[in-house]
Amino acid sequence: MNKRALGKYQAYPEYKDSGVEWLGDVPSHWNAKPLKFLCTCNDDVISDSTSKEFELEYVDIGSVTASYGITRTELMLFGKAPSRARRMVRDGDVIVSTVRTYLEAIAPINNPPKSMVVSTGFAVIRPSMELFKGYAAYCLRASGFIKEVIARSVGVSYPAINASDLIDIKIPNLPYIEQIQIANFLDHETAKIDTLIDKQQQLIKLLKEKRQAVISHAVTKGLNPDAPMKDSGVDWLGEVPEHWEKIPLKYISQIRYGIGEPPKYMEIGTPLIRATNIRSGKVSEINIAFVNPEDIPSQRIVWLKEGDIIVVRSGAGTGDSSIIPIAYDGSIAGFDMVVTPKKCIPNFLAHALLSNYIRNNQIDLEKTRAAQPHLNAEELGDCFVLLPPGSEQSLISHYIDKASFKFDVLMDKATHTIHLMQERRTALISAAVTGKIDVRYPVSPPTGNA
């Protein structure tokens, strides 16, 4: 293969066919080897004789992603840990999920506590003397390797791969010093990309906070800075417009529970709006479930119509809400609550329910009562709403919608930028570990005047 440039990086002088589909052509001095010849697998498990009082730090599959590694751990006593909490890890290992492989739960293990234990749903890959741990950490997260794992998995709803089949996958075999060079290069370059991603994520967080402040101010103070004010009677709320009413939610709306435990999901059917679909005022189409209404007892069906407001009643998103747009008119409410406005404009009430004075200062007070956040209809109904006259509700709703749109545009741009940088990160890793770019020698910056 002729020397060529890939972006700002050079290719190797010569290439050859690796004979492995996901690797393609590799530098002429490389070859491919099954992973099993470059590592050991599942070496250590925690002993069943371990004291039940021993505290371990557990990593489950849902806590791992190929992009971000281990995102959280759980401290628990061995006696109360799930039976799958058995595989022990040490520095330099790479954990690769062998179940639900489409989740791409793969992560390097860096300086773990001695008490760290991962799920038996992971294969723990331990590099041998021929495989540098830093290179392995990137190679096993390359997009081609991940696709190979998924392709070899068996099962539709719960795809899985045997550890023996996993370590049979061929990966590049190259000089050890070159592996170190590639790992060092990727450490440096991905750190720069991660810094840029972090800045965009911080921008999104700031925009969300500003949008929330706009909503909360509009639904508690109104739009007229010269309006006469009165003491709300609530210390944390302060003054509110004199002509506004403070009314419990239950007096201006009907509050109902969703169907609770859903029937069997279908590929097509009537949309079931669940807590996972509620995202800060919007209904997300990600993971929308479908059901047959005939499978639900008639007395439990809670049909949704445009203008209804879904409120999450339990879990991490307790208190989050969204108004139902016309696109979901005729859907069914899941394990949530449905607020149907009766004496106010639906869009205004939807904004009020998202505001800090309700969600943080009223609903969150109830969430502290238990380890598992939960909100019931009585508690929600007792939350008060500040209610201006109907014409003012319309003006405020329009103002918030217009301001929110501007924030959403900025957040969408930041999200798109993050997506592009993540793609760049993935492409760079794949190109480096498979030898499509030569990173052994630093590329000197251009000289001369700009």
Side-chain angles (χ1 to χ4, degrees), residues 125-173:
I125 306 300
R126 186 161 294 166
S128 69
M129 295 294 290
E130 295 180 52
L131 181 61
F132 178 57
K133 65 179 183 178
Y135 177 81
Y138 286 112
C139 184
L140 301 190
R141 288 181 291 164
S143 57
F145 180 84
I146 293 173
K147 289 176 182 176
E148 191 69 17
V149 171
I150 295 173
R152 297 189 185 206
S153 300
V154 177
V156 178
S157 59
Y158 200 78
I161 184 173
N162 291 325
S164 57
D165 293 330
L166 171 68
I167 60 176
D168 210 34
I169 297 174
K170 289 184 177 181
I171 68 168
N173 182 41

Side-chain angles (χ1 to χ4, degrees), residues 192-351:
K192 291 194 295 186
I193 295 173
D194 290 343
T195 297
L196 295 174
I197 290 174
D198 184 62
K199 288 182 179 178
Q200 292 299 311
Q201 290 172 333
Q202 291 298 317
L203 174 60
I204 291 173
K205 181 181 178 182
L206 179 62
L207 290 170
K208 285 181 177 180
E209 290 174 351
K210 288 187 174 181
R211 182 181 63 181
Q212 189 67 21
V214 167
I215 293 173
S216 295
H217 187 273
V219 297
T220 57
K221 308 298 181 184
L223 304 179
N224 181 8
D226 298 321
M229 307 293 278
K230 65 181 178 183
D231 185 2
S232 66
V234 181
D235 289 341
W236 50 260
L237 184 57
E239 292 187 329
V240 298
E242 191 175 69
H243 60 293
W244 287 23
E245 295 183 81
K246 188 172 74 173
I247 306 175
L249 179 61
K250 60 188 174 186
Y251 293 146
I252 58 172
S253 66
Q254 179 188 13
I255 304 175
R256 297 165 291 162
Y257 289 113
I259 65 172
E261 192 65 30
K264 182 175 67 175
Y265 295 149
M266 306 170 62
E267 290 296 323
I268 58 174
T270 301
L272 177 72
I273 308 302
R274 302 173 293 168
T276 53
N277 304 122
I278 305 305
R279 305 281 178 83
S280 300
K282 296 182 179 180
V283 176
S284 169
E285 295 187 356
I286 299 175
N287 295 323
I288 284 278
F290 298 92
V291 297
N292 184 349
E294 295 182 2
D295 293 339
I296 307 171
S298 58
Q299 70 272 22
R300 290 179 54 205
I301 295 181
V302 184
W303 293 104
L304 296 170
K305 64 179 184 299
E306 182 185 6
D308 282 341
I309 302 166
I310 291 280
V311 179
V312 178
R313 59 184 291 204
S314 64
T318 299
D320 199 1
S321 61
S322 174
I323 194 167
I324 297 298
I326 192 171
Y328 291 98
D329 197 318
S331 299
I332 294 173
F335 189 75
D336 298 298
M337 288 182 284
V338 182
V339 177
T340 301
K342 296 294 185 183
K343 297 180 180 180
C344 62
I345 294 174
N347 204 34
F348 176 84
L349 183 57
H351 289 310

